[in-house]
Amino acid sequence: MTTTDPAPSRSSSWLPRWDPNDPAFWEAEGKARAWRTLAVTTFSLTLAFAVWFMVSAIVVRLNDIGFSLSQGQLFWLTAMPGLAAGITRLAHMFFVPMYGSRHTLTLGTLSLLIPAIGWGVAVQNPNTSFTTFMILAFLAGMGGGNFSSFMPSTSLFFPKKMQGTALGIQAGIGNFGVSLVQFLTPWVVGVNLFWFLGSDSERWTWAGRTSDIWLQNAAWVYIPWLLLGAALSWLVVRSVPIKANFGQQFAIFRDKHTWVMTSIYMMTFGAFSGLAAAFPLLIKNLYGGFENAPLPLKFAFLGPLIGSAVRVLFGLIADKTGGAVLTSISAVGMAVCALLVTPYLTPSSLEQFPLFVAAMLGIFFFSGIGNASTFRQMPIIFNPPQSAGVIGWTAAIAAFGPFIVSMSLSAITAATGNARLFFYLLAAFCVLNLGLNWYFYGRKGAEKPS
């Protein structure tokens, strides 16, 4: 990809030339800038994921501090950020080619201050309505939307041979934001971090015990870091001089491989993000009624932690082995683990809890492999700037995962009394995508070997 400055007058934001596939250019100028940009954007993307998933860590405690929300309403609050993420990702996929990385990433990070501040205020008011919580949950989903501008931007900065590594690092570490928020929340809510703002504690009751917590900290703790991320994005990031209008971007939808990869990525990241959002509430609903019930966030963070770490590792491996074979392994592993979960969805004792968690962690493990391998496949299957557009589009659709998973679990549980049908359907979807991946990308003589 060789590019020239589309607007010399905007040289402070736009690079005059960018050709990472030219070895001389890469060594002389490209490598240092690309890795420096990746460090800043990965930091900001991690925060974006934390804001996106902070709702899943907050809702499990709302009723325990005095709110009276039904199980259906709690699932709606868990689902709403996924709906918002999918919708806003559809917009974000166009931003980088049209407005550049610097402006898009800076403003995208700043926008997350709105839900971070709002949730901290709302949980302190016992009269906060369900409608207000729904609006704030939607706004938190803007953090998920950032993915579809951050990732396409990164794909433009690195040569094709390093796409799997770069995108695997950014997406994998960014995904740590999910685990971070679920791990960090139980710790930060136990301390009055923002005493200087006059924040009040809430009475938290769990398993017959009562204590003071500051649930607002679960949102406010990210405010200073978001400000830092926005400042770094503006100061460090520059825009690659590649421009595309809406017509050029929409050309990706005439390629059947766009739709095939959308289905495959929905299997991997859709399941990862959806189950990450629903996992804490699933633990509470299934095992919260037993004596000495486990704290949901004590175990829920392990799923996204494993999936994120695997994504980083297998991004490196995918550059060596190719993506298609790893995607097939991902599909098989996810299908098997989804079936292994089903016996533990109607528990009779806490003895079944470790097996339930193990099977769920298996789904996260294999989804992490697929999340890495698919992002190796897309830059090979498509040429820039189409590859950036496809990455943004598939990420947008997969971001609906939390909405689809949470709503499906709620509806299926209400209709059948348990969630087994959901996991049967997940296993079937994995088998379908195993066939698509093998036929188009994995078999001998495949149309687009990747």
Side-chain angles (χ1 to χ4, degrees), residues 223-278:
I223 293 174
W225 303 108
L226 289 169
L227 291 171
L228 176 60
L232 289 174
S233 294
W234 183 257
L235 294 173
V236 175
V237 176
R238 292 297 179 268
S239 301
V240 172
I242 183 168
K243 301 287 286 183
N245 57 36
F246 276 101
Q248 292 171 318
Q249 289 285 80
F250 273 107
I252 64 174
F253 300 120
R254 296 193 292 269
D255 191 326
K256 66 184 177 184
H257 295 288
T258 298
W259 303 103
V260 174
M261 289 307 302
T262 298
S263 179
I264 293 173
Y265 195 59
M266 188 66 195
M267 172 192 70
T268 60
F269 186 77
F272 169 86
S273 61
L275 290 173

Side-chain angles (χ1 to χ4, degrees), residues 307-336:
S308 301
V310 168
R311 185 168 192 168
V312 174
L313 174 62
F314 278 84
L316 301 171
I317 295 174
D319 276 337
K320 305 296 183 182
T321 65
V325 63
L326 295 180
T327 299
S328 293
I329 292 172
S330 170
V332 172
M334 288 181 66
V336 170

